[in-house]
DNA sequence: TAAATAGTGTCTGTAAGACACTATTGA
DNA sequence: TCAATAGTGTCTTACAGACACTATTTA
């Protein structure tokens, strides 16, 4: 600290994106096939270095979102997930990556012939169990992103961000079931979700399905913080099982 | 992106520490008086640049913790808070800072004659209301750190990290009251905290106070995640007040 | 009609919060 | 004895979860 010649080291700064959506009733994450070394040919999160030294971090995240997934900011939740900067995580040198979590309603297949051509949706249930499937430390980042999404679903109105502008309660339930990976009781969910003030508001319209009673349509309400919170069914560890 | 000459920009990487403790029944944060420009003479969070390009982030956080607060890793909770990297936040150039939250039991006054000589404890209630009191964007970082601590107190056993190796239930309550900034009912708190399996375990000993019945002593239990969670009294916004 | 999905009623157990009460110490 | 702090009992209300039941559609 008292070395007069010392100058602080510099690092390369990147953003990585965990983009989650719901397709085929499953939670899916956008992955790209890497075209260059390192990890050429492997699957990785979309992302990249800052464009220039003055680019803002959220701006870089939005730019990558547009470039690699063809997504504009509409209906889009974007939040910082964390920093991943272990020395050696990138063979090119000291790269520190800021991960962002993006959540979007039902998204289309990436369009061929664009920058997003090598992108593909992959169910998280295929990615999470295998830590070696992704390049760099991206498996850890995806794991953290999914866990963040699960937690946020409990206490915030984030679930509606997975839906279109209007939705049925059953559709909303499907979001919770897909993200949490647990089945929920439809009747309890129905009343529960309506009892949370400001979470969803009825539109007065209904939506016909192939068969069965038409369902009322709702849109997102004004509330971001949910009271009472949605409760994720607790997977009981051995220690907390009731003693019979 | 198709410019063959383009090379990614580099940035300066720093760590900043929000070190919280409990002194005089108040939540206090460690601040240092800056000895150099920019913001010379102003109060700021302890922290600094990476020592060398290969230093790990948590290692840098621990190093600053030792240098600026004289703290070793004992009894210490340390977690990543977030990245603060807005262009222009530091007049010296593009500095991206990774903030860490550290929580420690009752800490002594910083020792004069060490690197920590210019450090001082400051009650958060004096810092939080005034966004101009701290250098850089450190007010925001402190705000985020305190909010993180408040939230973690609800669902994790973090509160015991503010206490010594053994503590009374009343002391534990004082932690919750200081961090949350709300009074709690001692009788309900007493039963509540004992009903949370694995949170605290009785030592069998008691501690005498100046006056009044001696209190049972407890030590931290094995559980990190609390079930049921401690509930922070909800400050009702206008919208959610019950309609009479 | 049956099959399917939407939506309601009701009960039980757990837990939060209010608050009266008892217990054990020092002065 | 009183003052002070520790600890218990009990009631009310909220809410999670189980699950029987009714409602409205298409085939």
């Amino acid at each position: 600290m008292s070395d007069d010649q010392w100058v602080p080291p510099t690092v390369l700064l990147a953003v990585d994106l965990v983009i989650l959506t719901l397709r085929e009733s499953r939670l899916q994450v956008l992955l790209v096939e890497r075209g260059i070394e390192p990890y050429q040919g492997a699957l990785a999160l979309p992302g990249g270095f800052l464009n220039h030294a003055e680019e803002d971090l959220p701006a870089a995240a939005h730019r990558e979102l547009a470039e690699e997934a063809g997504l504009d900011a509409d209906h889009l939740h974007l939040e910082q997930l964390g920093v991943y900067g272990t020395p050696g995580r990138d063979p090119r040198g000291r790269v520190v990556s800021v991960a962002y979590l993006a959540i979007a309603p039902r998204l289309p297949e990436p369009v061929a012939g664009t920058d997003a051509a090598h992108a593909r949706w992959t169910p998280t249930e295929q990615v999470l169990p295998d830590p070696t499937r992704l390049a760099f430390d991206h498996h850890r980042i995806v794991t953290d992103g999914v866990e963040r999404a699960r937690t946020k679903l409990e206490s915030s109105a984030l679930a509606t961000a997975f839906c279109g502008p209007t939705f049925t309660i059953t559709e909303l339930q499907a979001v919770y079931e897909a993200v949490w990976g647990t089945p929920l009781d439809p009747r309890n969910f129905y009343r529960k979700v309506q009892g949370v003030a400001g979470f969803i508001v009825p539109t007065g319209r209904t939506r016909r399905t192939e068969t069965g009673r038409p369902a009322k349509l709702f849109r997102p309400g004004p509330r971001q913080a949910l009271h009472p919170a949605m409760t994720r069914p607790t997977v009981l560890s051995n220690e907390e099982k009731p003693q019979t």
Side-chain angles (χ1 to χ4, degrees), chain A:
Chain A
M1 291 294 286
S2 56
D3 185 343
D4 287 341
Q5 305 298 38
W6 180 82
V7 289
T10 60
V11 302
L12 291 171
L13 197 64
V15 294
D16 283 316
L17 292 172
V18 180
I19 311 173
L20 298 177
T21 196
L22 219 62
R23 308 178 81 235
E24 302 157 8
S25 300
R26 293 186 296 183
L27 185 65
Q28 311 219 11
V29 60
L30 193 72
L31 298 176
V32 297
E33 191 176 321
R34 284 185 60 81
I36 58 168
E37 290 292 346
Y39 293 100
Q40 182 166 22
L43 287 174
L45 292 172
F49 293 114
L50 290 191
N51 249 353
H52 55 273
E54 294 307 313
E55 188 176 33
D56 197 8
L57 289 170
H62 276 105
R63 175 176 55 73
E64 294 290 345
L65 205 55
E67 285 178 7
E68 307 229 31
L71 285 173
D72 284 335
D74 268 17
H75 293 130
L76 208 98
H77 174 92
L78 193 69
E79 80 177 44
Q80 193 186 104
L81 194 54
V83 194
Y84 298 81
T86 311
R89 66 182 285 277
D90 191 317
R92 288 168 293 186
R94 186 68 195 273
V95 177
V96 172
S97 179
V98 181
Y100 280 84
L101 176 65
I103 278 168
R106 211 170 194 301
L107 293 173
E109 204 65 43
V111 189
T114 69
D115 273 2
H118 297 100
R120 70 180 66 153
W121 292 108
T122 310
T124 53
E125 54 203 11
Q126 287 176 19
V127 175
L128 295 180
D130 180 5
T132 66
R133 203 187 180 88
L134 301 186
F136 307 106
D137 51 2
H138 288 187
H139 179 267
R140 166 115 299 269
I141 302 179
V142 171
T143 303
D144 291 350
V146 170
E147 184 49 38
R148 175 75 67 89
R150 284 178 175 158
T151 304
K152 289 218 75 170
L153 238 52
E154 298 181 45
S155 56
S156 87
L158 179 62
T160 58
F162 281 102
C163 300
T166 66
F167 48 85
T168 67
I169 289 185
T170 303
E171 285 170 351
L172 191 61
Q173 182 183 338
V175 172
Y176 277 92
E177 292 184 326
V179 177
W180 283 349
T182 31
L184 301 171
D185 183 295
R187 292 102 70 177
N188 289 336
F189 184 87
Y190 193 94
R191 263 176 308 98
K192 174 60 197 290
V193 83
Q194 289 205 284
V196 178
F199 185 12
I200 60 173
V201 298
T203 63
R205 294 167 171 252
T206 59
R207 173 180 295 167
R208 249 175 286 282
T209 52
E210 304 152 4
T211 173
R213 179 176 176 172
K216 293 179 188 161
L217 283 171
F218 295 80
R219 49 187 179 72
R223 262 286 151 62
Q224 268 315 113
L226 303 186
H227 278 291
M230 304 296 296
T231 49
R232 175 157 35 150
T234 46
V235 182
L236 293 183
S237 63
N238 286 331
E239 313 170 54
E240 53 196 333
K241 272 177 191 152
Q243 303 133 350
T244 339

